[in-house]
Amino acid sequence: MTTKTNPGNFFEDFEVGQVLRHATPRSVTEGDRAAYGALYPTRFAVPSSAEFAASVGLSPAPVEDLVAFHIAFGKTVPDVSLNAVANLGYAECRFHRPVVPGDTLATQSEVIGLKQNSNGKSGVVYVRSTATNQRGEVVLDWARWVMVHKRDLEAPAPETVVPDLAPAVAAGDLIVPAGLDFTAYDFEAAGEPHRFDDYETGEKIDHVDGVTLTDPEHMLATRLWQNTAKVHFNTEARPDGSRLVYGGHVISLARALSFNGLANAQLIAAINAGAHVAPAFAGDTVYAWSEVLDKAETPAPGVGALRLRLVATKGRDESMTLRGEDGKYAPGVLLDLDVWALVPR
C-alpha cells in the first residue's frame, strides 16, 4: 500500500553532500511586518518607520531582519527538522541584503555533517542553508545543526563528519546594505542617544523587561513562518506532553527586549554563533541581557558595527552570569546568541 503523505526525514535518511531544495517559496508582505510587531515588543526605527528608513538610505523600508531569517528557516523544517528532538545552534549567518515587502524567498540546504548520538536513538545533522529572492540574489545564508530522531534504531551509524565552522564572521566580511548612511541619523526619533563610541568592549547591558511565553503566541508565530516541526504543536510529540517553544521565537523576544539599551542597533549584519541552551515552554518569563564583545568600523558613512552577545534567560538574572565556575551555562540561560549589529557612529 502506497502513501502520498510525507513523514519527514529521519537521521538515517541524510547523507553528507545531499542537497535539499525546500518547498514552498514565500512572499513577504506588510502583514508580516504587522504580525511581527504584534508578537514581539519590537520598536527599532528602521523597520518601524518608512520615513526613518528612507532618511538612512533604505527605501522601501525593510522588514525586521529576523522576519527574513524565520521565513527562510521555516522553509527548511519539513526536510531537515520535522522529526527533530531540538534545534541546537547556528553559525556563519550573514544577512546579504534587506528584505522588503514584495520579495519572495526560497531556500536550499546542503548536508555538511552527520554525527550519531551515543544512545543510537538520534543524531545531529549539520546543514548549510541559502535563501534567495525572486531575482536569485542571496538574502542570507547560515549553518545550523539539529538533533533528529532515528526511524530505525538498527540502522547503521554513518561516518561521523563534523564541519569546521568559524567561531565568528570576520568584521571585514560583514555586508552593509547598499545606500545605508547614518550621518544624518535622528537619535530622538530612534529613542536613545547612545552611539558607537558610547559602548565599550566588555560592557554588559541589562535590558530589564520581561515577557511571559504563552502557547497561543508561540504557536501562532511558528505557523506564521510555516515551521511545521511537530514538537511545537503536538502534545504527543514529546514524552512530557509539552509544546516546545520554537527557538526562533525566543531569539525574536530577546532581540525585541534588547531595544532598551540598544535601540540604535538597527540592523543585524550577522549571527556568528548561537546555542539554544535549554528548552522554553509556556509559562516561562523571558528576560535578556547583552555583552559587547567587539567593535568594528565599516566603510559605510556614519555606520559602525558592534559584536554583541545576546542572552535570554528564564527569569531575570541581574548578575548577568553566563557560565558558572564549572564552565557550564548558568541556571536559567535559554539562549546564547552572538551577533554583529550596525549602529550609528
Side-chain angles (χ1 to χ4, degrees), residues 31-321:
D32 290 303
R33 191 195 309 275
Y36 192 94
L39 287 164
Y40 308 111
T42 184
R43 290 179 286 161
F44 293 99
V46 167
S48 295
S49 167
E51 181 181 5
F52 189 98
S55 74
V56 298
L58 301 180
S59 184
V63 295
E64 293 264 359
D65 305 292
L66 291 175
V67 169
F69 177 78
H70 291 317
I71 290 174
F73 180 98
K75 299 293 96 186
T76 72
V77 169
D79 299 312
V80 176
S81 50
L82 188 65
N83 296 303
V85 180
N87 190 56
L88 299 178
Y90 313 91
E92 298 182 356
C93 175
R94 288 196 305 166
F95 293 79
H96 290 249
R97 50 183 40 82
V99 170
V100 301
D103 282 347
T104 297
L105 306 185
T107 311
Q108 179 172 292
S109 299
E110 179 182 358
V111 180
I112 59 174
L114 293 169
K115 184 179 185 297
Q116 181 166 301
N117 290 329
S118 58
N119 63 11
K121 298 179 180 179
S122 60
V124 179
V125 180
Y126 299 81
V127 298
R128 185 177 300 280
S129 302
T130 303
T132 54
N133 63 21
Q134 67 276 17
R135 294 179 293 276
E137 300 165 334
V138 175
V139 171
L140 70 154
D141 59 355
W142 73 99
R144 73 157 168 143
W145 49 104
V146 58
M147 189 185 302
V148 180
H149 288 291
K150 290 184 71 174
R151 178 196 297 108
D152 177 8
L153 301 187
E154 302 303 317
E159 178 184 357
T160 296
V161 177
V162 177
D164 184 17
L165 299 173
V169 175
D173 292 333
L174 298 177
I175 300 171
V176 179
L180 186 67
D181 183 344
F182 281 165
T183 55
Y185 190 93
D186 187 340
F187 287 90
E188 187 174 37
E192 285 183 353
H194 316 304
R195 61 177 73 218
F196 181 82
D197 289 336
D198 294 324
Y199 293 94
E200 298 181 1
T201 301
E203 177 182 1
K204 291 184 177 181
I205 304 160
D206 182 355
H207 300 303
V208 180
D209 306 304
V211 173
T212 301
L213 297 169
T214 69
D215 272 333
E217 286 178 317
H218 85 78
M219 288 192 295
L220 176 62
T222 312
R223 280 285 187 237
L224 181 65
W225 318 126
Q226 298 178 327
N227 180 332
T228 56
K230 301 171 185 177
V231 291
H232 304 317
F233 304 100
N234 187 344
T235 57
E236 298 178 353
R238 287 174 51 91
D240 62 5
S242 298
R243 300 177 182 91
L244 180 68
V245 173
Y246 164 47
H249 188 66
V250 177
I251 290 175
S252 278
L253 277 179
R255 163 68 174 162
L257 292 171
S258 74
F259 179 90
N260 192 348
L262 283 166
N264 295 318
Q266 290 288 350
L267 301 167
I268 299 175
I271 298 175
N272 299 303
H276 295 291
V277 176
F281 301 97
D284 293 347
T285 299
V286 177
Y287 290 82
W289 57 269
S290 293
E291 179 183 5
V292 181
L293 300 177
D294 200 0
K295 301 173 65 175
E297 297 182 357
T298 81
V303 179
L306 296 179
R307 184 178 171 190
L308 303 164
R309 166 172 279 128
L310 176 59
V311 178
T313 60
K314 176 184 175 180
R316 186 179 175 195
D317 176 16
E318 296 183 54
S319 70
M320 293 179 281
T321 300

